[in-house]
């Protein structure tokens, strides 16, 4: 006797077409972010690292400037000036390095402190803005952010509203490069704030001395389907700032400690957050210098120390930079 199958196979109909809004969207390839810290004259160090990255790219048979292989370049303070030099000027990395060697005394002029100068040091900024303004005017001329050959984001902070100011080449194409450079370098106590329209802007280091986290946030808006963000973040070799217990109370003790302490704490926080983000591959290139160099120290001895450290750091990270160059080549080919 033939037993009838109680579970007959039903003829399958083709799957229904998904509504347009429910169709899966193909994810984009990895997006690459170059992030440059603030640090004044210590910008010598990231420039040296970028020169090493350029050499690694050339070793892979790639020509051109390193920044052109990234999807987004972000910078704060001296890192902002480097970012703008890379994307909005004709300066080569070698010319940029020479600029740090020779133009420091213009940006940070040494003056003898008479009575009037002592009074100025207490009641006004440490340096007049004329020097730095003459330099950035010479470097960038009348260019606008929209002229950048790579998406560029420069960080500043608006003291009138208490909010970050992100000056982006694709959002503010008519924003003057001069204003972006002057704003991001307006380090409190060093230079006066820079007014642009109804905003009063100071150095982006107030909120993002390492701009990587803000750069990732902006990149997610640009590429919402991206599967991976690769962040190459280059520091300026600042020391880990600590205080002794007996010197951690009182206004006078904190005057010299508050800025380096919050800057250091802020960078460590960014490192910790980005290292735990599942869609971010965070490559941090930084190491402390053996000797402290202040951000406004442009003496030949300080320049020599920073170049020496930059050379050492480039050697330490050479294999990592080679891997970055190789992957950039492979992804460009794909």
């Amino acid at each position: 006797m033939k037993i009838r199958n109680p579970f007959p196979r039903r003829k399958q109909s083709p799957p229904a077409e998904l509504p347009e809004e429910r169709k899966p969207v193909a994810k984009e390839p990895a997006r690459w972010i170059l992030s440059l810290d603030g640090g004044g004259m210590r910008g010598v160090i990231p420039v040296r690292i970028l020169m090493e990255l350029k050499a690694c790219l050339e070793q892979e048979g790639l020509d051109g400037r390193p920044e052109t292989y990234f999807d987004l370049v972000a910078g704060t303070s001296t890192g902002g000036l480097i970012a703008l030099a890379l994307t909005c000027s004709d300066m080569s990395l070698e010319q940029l390095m020479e600029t740090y060697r020779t133009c420091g005394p213009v940006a940070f002029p040494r003056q003898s402190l008479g009575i009037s100068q002592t009074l100025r040091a207490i009641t006004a900024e440490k340096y007049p803005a004329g020097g730095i303004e003459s330099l950035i005017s010479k470097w960038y001329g009348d260019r606008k952010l929209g002229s950048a050959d790579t998406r560029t984001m420069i960080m500043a902070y608006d003291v009138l509203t208490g909010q970050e100011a992100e000056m982006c080449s694709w959002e503010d194409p008519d924003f003057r490069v001069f204003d972006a450079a002057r704003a991001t370098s307006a380090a409190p106590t060093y230079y006066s704030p820079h007014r642009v329209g109804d905003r009063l802007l100071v150095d982006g280091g107030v909120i993002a001395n390492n701009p990587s986290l803000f750069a990732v946030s902006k990149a997610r808006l640009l590429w919402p389907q991206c599967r991976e963000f690769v962040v190459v973040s280059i520091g300026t070799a600042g020391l880990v700032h600590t205080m002794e217990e007996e010197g951690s109370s009182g206004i006078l003790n904190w005057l010299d400690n508050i800025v380096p302490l919050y800057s250091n704490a802020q960078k460590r926080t960014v490192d910790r957050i980005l290292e735990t983000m599942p869609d971010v591959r965070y490559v941090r290139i930084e190491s402390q210098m053996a000797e402290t160099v202040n951000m406004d120290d442009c003496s030949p001895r300080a320049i020599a120390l920073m170049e020496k450290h930059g050379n050492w750091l480039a050697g330490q990270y050479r294999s990592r930079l080679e891997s970055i160059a190789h992957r950039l080549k492979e992804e460009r080919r794909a």
Side-chain angles (χ1 to χ4, degrees), residues 152-192:
T152 303
M153 182 179 80
I154 306 300
M155 293 298 304
Y157 186 77
D158 186 352
V159 297
L160 297 181
T161 63
Q163 294 182 329
E164 69 277 6
E166 301 163 336
M167 297 162 284
C168 301
S169 61
W170 65 97
E171 293 179 344
D172 307 298
D174 293 327
F175 198 90
R176 292 197 309 161
V177 173
F178 174 90
D179 289 322
R182 175 67 176 86
T184 197
S185 59
T189 74
Y190 287 88
Y191 297 119
S192 59

Side-chain angles (χ1 to χ4, degrees), residues 41 86 112 158 173 187 189 233 249 278 285 289 292:
M41 290 300 299
L86 293 174
S112 58
D158 186 352
T189 74
S233 174
S249 300
I285 300 176
M289 292 182 65
T292 303

Side-chain angles (χ1 to χ4, degrees), residues 308-320:
K308 180 180 179 182
H309 183 76
N311 291 335
W312 175 83
L313 197 60
Q316 291 293 111
Y317 280 87
R318 175 71 191 204
S319 61
R320 183 75 61 87

Side-chain angles (χ1 to χ4, degrees), residues 65-313:
R65 299 157 67 105
E67 72 281 0
T68 62
Y69 296 95
F70 288 84
D71 298 290
L72 172 62
V73 178
T76 293
S77 194
T78 200
L81 297 182
I82 295 171
L84 291 170
L86 293 174
T87 65
C88 296
S89 85
D90 300 321
M91 275 192 284
S92 67
L93 287 169
E94 291 74 20
Q95 290 171 324
L96 187 53
M97 179 65 83
E98 188 60 27
T99 296
Y100 274 98
R101 292 179 184 132
T102 59
C103 294
V106 179
F108 303 113
R110 297 297 178 210
Q111 300 172 345
S112 58
L113 286 179
I115 294 178
S116 61
Q117 290 296 327
T118 302
L119 185 61
R120 174 183 171 81
I122 297 173
T123 61
E125 290 72 32
K126 189 174 182 179
Y127 300 107
I132 187 69
E133 288 182 353
S134 68
L135 289 174
I136 60 179
S137 180
K138 176 182 176 182
W139 295 336
Y140 311 119
D142 295 325
R143 285 183 169 92
K144 304 292 181 63
L145 277 182
S147 68
D149 55 18
T150 300
R151 291 178 188 84
T152 303
M153 182 179 80
I154 306 300
M155 293 298 304
Y157 186 77
D158 186 352
V159 297
L160 297 181
T161 63
Q163 294 182 329
E164 69 277 6
E166 301 163 336
M167 297 162 284
C168 301
S169 61
W170 65 97
E171 293 179 344
D172 307 298
D174 293 327
F175 198 90
R176 292 197 309 161
V177 173
F178 174 90
D179 289 322
R182 175 67 176 86
T184 197
S185 59
T189 74
Y190 287 88
Y191 297 119
S192 59
H194 183 59
R195 178 172 282 281
V196 182
D198 60 355
R199 295 189 290 180
L200 191 61
L201 304 176
V202 298
D203 190 330
V206 168
I207 194 169
N209 205 47
N210 175 354
S212 298
L213 195 58
F214 281 91
V216 169
S217 176
K218 189 66 72 172
R220 281 182 169 153
L221 295 176
L222 282 168
W223 302 288
Q225 301 301 324
C226 183
R227 60 181 170 79
E228 181 185 25
F229 297 97
V230 184
V231 182
V232 179
S233 174
I234 308 178
T236 54
L239 292 177
V240 175
H241 191 80
T242 59
M243 296 174 66
E244 299 294 335
E245 183 176 356
E246 58 270 20
S248 61
S249 300
I251 295 175
L252 291 179
N253 285 329
W254 275 96
L255 282 177
D256 291 332
N257 285 285
I258 185 63
V259 172
L261 193 69
Y262 82 67
S263 176
N264 179 254
Q266 181 193 102
K267 289 196 294 183
R268 299 288 82 77
T269 301
V270 170
D271 290 344
R272 179 64 63 87
I273 292 172
L274 288 177
E275 285 167 357
T276 60
M277 285 186 173
D279 61 342
V280 175
R281 183 182 177 194
Y282 184 55
V283 182
R284 179 68 171 163
I285 300 176
E286 186 177 41
S287 179
Q288 293 187 63
M289 292 182 65
E291 186 173 340
T292 303
V293 174
N294 293 329
M295 63 173 283
D296 60 342
D297 190 346
C298 51
S299 66
R301 179 177 179 275
I303 296 292
L305 284 172
M306 290 184 288
E307 288 197 51
K308 180 180 179 182
H309 183 76
N311 291 335
W312 175 83
L313 197 60

